[in-house]
Amino acid sequence: EGKPQEFGTQAIGRNGQWVPCDLRDPGHVDQRRAAMSLGSLADNLARITEEYGPPAPAVITCPACGGKIEAWLPDPGQEATVDCASCEQTFRFGIRANE
């Protein structure tokens, strides 16, 4: 629906760690989780790591030379800039936000 999460059940990889996607009022998320009989956000992220392992960056194909580039994906609706080590080109990429 394009709205921030209430409970932090969806996570994305950031620099080798799982973090909640677009979380509304992060300071009170554990209170909301407790009201729904959910464990803490930290426990949930630890469970995700245990089940899926640590996140890895995405592998993107350079549009200029076809080389492989590792990059952490931006949040939906945001863009990131990456440099290709093979051809030294810089390009931007993003993920569309839900409409």
Side-chain angles (χ1 to χ4, degrees):
E1 296 178 0
K3 297 178 185 177
Q5 292 190 83
E6 292 292 318
F7 304 104
T9 55
Q10 297 174 351
I12 189 167
R14 289 283 184 261
N15 300 318
Q17 296 182 11
W18 293 107
V19 296
C21 297
D22 192 21
L23 188 59
R24 183 186 72 81
D25 189 17
H28 295 98
V29 67
D30 281 335
Q31 290 172 325
R32 292 192 302 274
R33 289 179 64 86
M36 299 300 291
S37 299
L38 299 170
S40 71
L41 180 60
D43 288 346
N44 186 54
L45 295 173
R47 180 195 58 78
I48 292 170
T49 301
E50 185 176 312
E51 273 188 42
Y52 299 102
V59 178
I60 301 167
T61 301
C62 176
C65 73
K68 301 298 180 196
I69 303 167
E70 288 189 354
W72 293 100
L73 298 176
D75 289 330
Q78 301 295 313
E79 289 188 338
T81 302
V82 294
D83 298 318
C84 177
S86 299
C87 69
E88 299 183 0
Q89 293 282 331
T90 299
F91 69 98
R92 296 169 65 111
F93 70 99
I95 300 173
R96 289 186 186 182
N98 293 339
E99 298 177 359

